[in-house]
Amino acid sequence: MDATGLGAQYGRIGPEVARVMAEVVARGQFILGPEVAELERRLAGRAGAGHCLACASGTDALLLPLMAWGIGPGDAVFVPDFTFFATAEVVSRLGATPVFVDIDPVTFNLDAGRLGAAVEAVRARDPAMHPLPAAATAGAGLRPRAVIPVDLFGLAADYERILPVAARHGLAVLEDAAQSFGGSAGGRKVCGLGCHAAATSFFPLKPLGCYGDGGAVFTDDPELSRTLASLRAHGRGRDKYDNVRIGLNSRLDTLQAAVLLVKLNILDEEIAARNAVAARYGAALAGSAATPPAVPPSRISAWAQYSVLLPDRDAVLAALTGAGIPAAVYYPKPLHRLAALLPLGYRPDDFPVANLASERILALPMHPYLTGEDTDRVAGEVLKATMRVVRGT
Ligand SMILES: *Cc1c(COP(=O)(O)O)cnc(C)c1O
């Protein structure tokens, strides 16, 4: 079974991709060619955001707004404990401290009900109120500055509840939409949900992927947009040899922008196809031991992953692998137990929901080019394996 769908997708758009790439090569403007500006215009329009700036990766798309806000040592940035490492890595990279928040057991996203307590615990320097990193109780403690909710597996986080809490505490909100571009909430598109900034990734396996690395930042704030444009180009000022701040080299290749313009044309169809696959999985697995994430009403997931919780995940994973079905675990460890983040000083049993998710979660094959037959076979093997586990055979 095709694990990614990229081959089937190429079968569909291959000739057009070849044509636009040949055009870029013939023209020779490999850096910030007109395709990049056109892509930024179209992405901003689609998301309903005032500004879009393409950059070199989803990780840089998270890093750049934090840099623009001057996040650094002594600052606390609130991050869900169950996500890809990069969400917290960018915080530590700047010398700031990630303060983890447990996830909601139903959506797997940041538990909005715990965010306020986490901020207050940092202010009070009191780990009895919420698990805190060692830096929050040492020296002068930490200043709460920002929160990075993650739209995990393609489902927008609960911004309706997060944004008011953030506003009350003066936190900047950076949406990590690396997995969710193409999704929506309350009729508004991801990356246009009212956060101070949003970051997405064009890594090949994301819902909108290019043929290499790429990312983009979205914001409605014109001043932030100007700062981001400077930061991604070595902190340029009036021109590229007038450097006014310490920045990065973080641009999207013209070739990747050309590929993305082609893929953007079929994104809505692909998101609809992913939703059809998810619905078919959901119907087949209903009432079984495999629990899929619930999509709250008025949200449409981009279904980067279709992950279910299973009481005996490792046995089911082995059975699926044996049947030639490409299943995978995202993520085998919550952030607070990753080696690179152990120095933060959390305890292993902090964040019980994230801990349980890491033991039970299993991603089934998910892409727009799975057939009904594929989906039924996967669901059938999951049901067979969970029954075997229950019977103990
Ligand atoms: C993929 C991903 C990133 C990083 O994106 P890259 O383009 O790989 O740098 C950040 N956050 C989350 C949640 C991701 O899934």
Side-chain angles (χ1 to χ4, degrees):
M1 187 174 300
D2 181 0
T4 67
L6 287 177
Q9 187 194 51
Y10 190 71
R12 186 174 172 195
I13 59 173
E16 202 183 346
V17 167
R19 184 177 61 73
V20 299
M21 287 181 92
E23 267 174 34
V24 172
V25 173
R27 200 184 326 108
Q29 201 179 341
F30 297 111
I31 302 293
L32 297 182
E35 285 83 356
V36 176
E38 188 189 344
L39 179 72
E40 290 175 338
R41 243 187 339 269
R42 278 188 55 194
L43 290 174
R46 188 196 152 88
H51 308 269
C52 169
L53 284 106
C55 63
S57 70
T59 304
D60 281 0
L62 291 168
L63 185 63
L64 285 162
L66 298 180
M67 289 172 73
W69 293 328
I71 302 281
D75 291 338
V77 178
F78 300 85
V79 172
D81 187 40
F82 194 64
T83 170
F84 179 57
F85 178 59
T87 316
E89 183 185 30
V90 291
V91 176
S92 293
R93 189 76 197 77
L94 293 173
T97 303
V99 175
F100 298 128
V101 180
D102 211 345
I103 55 165
D104 176 287
V106 173
T107 63
F108 309 150
N109 280 333
L110 184 135
D111 186 341
R114 294 179 193 270
L115 179 59
V119 179
E120 277 153 26
V122 167
R123 288 237 163 83
R125 301 167 62 184
D126 181 3
M129 296 164 67
H130 182 93
L132 291 179
T137 50
L142 298 171
R143 279 182 307 272
R145 291 286 310 276
V147 54
I148 314 181
V150 178
D151 304 339
L152 199 70
F153 305 145
L155 178 67
D158 192 354
Y159 296 99
E160 270 180 39
R161 289 171 68 205
I162 292 168
L163 288 169
V165 177
R168 196 154 63 241
H169 293 285
L171 302 180
V173 185
L174 171 57
E175 176 186 10
D176 183 342
Q179 302 181 2
S180 61
F181 200 79
S184 65
R188 293 168 73 177
K189 301 280 191 195
V190 151
C191 293
L193 297 176
C195 300
H196 298 90
T200 196
S201 163
F202 305 127
F203 181 81
L205 296 181
K206 310 285 174 158
L208 179 61
C210 61
Y211 291 150
D213 275 307
V217 192
F218 298 77
T219 183
D220 285 331
D221 175 349
E223 195 183 322
L224 177 61
S225 166
R226 279 192 294 275
T227 308
L228 293 169
S230 164
L231 283 169
R232 78 169 168 185
H234 301 291
R236 64 175 285 164
R238 278 186 317 277
D239 63 62
K240 70 195 261 196
Y241 302 113
D242 175 37
N243 307 88
V244 297
R245 51 172 71 79
I246 303 298
L248 298 172
N249 173 12
S250 185
R251 298 171 295 224
L252 181 72
D253 293 339
T254 309
L255 277 169
Q256 301 298 353
V259 171
L260 286 164
L261 283 166
V262 174
K263 291 203 187 192
L264 200 51
N265 291 330
I266 58 168
L267 180 65
D268 284 329
E269 268 175 56
E270 291 189 336
I271 298 292
R274 286 174 187 269
N275 273 278
V277 171
R280 196 159 174 136
Y281 273 145
L285 297 174
S288 79
T291 328
V295 175
S298 93
R299 276 183 250 179
I300 297 174
S301 177
W303 292 110
Q305 302 295 343
Y306 188 90
S307 292
V308 295
L309 295 177
L310 286 157
D312 199 343
R313 189 266 317 277
D314 292 337
V316 177
L317 172 59
L320 292 181
T321 307
I325 292 171
V329 174
Y330 311 107
Y331 299 94
K333 279 184 184 175
L335 297 185
H336 78 280
R337 287 177 19 222
L338 288 173
L341 298 171
L342 289 179
L344 290 173
Y346 287 97
R347 291 185 318 240
D349 59 352
D350 285 339
F351 314 111
V353 185
N355 276 332
L356 193 69
S358 69
E359 284 163 27
R360 296 195 163 186
I361 206 143
L362 185 66
L364 306 181
M366 167 52 86
H367 61 74
Y369 301 96
L370 286 173
T371 63
E373 224 167 82
D374 292 333
T375 320
D376 291 348
R377 187 160 91 79
V378 174
E381 292 291 340
V382 171
L383 293 175
K384 226 164 54 184
T386 51
M387 258 140 36
R388 221 179 287 133
V389 167
V390 170
R391 286 202 316 268
T393 54

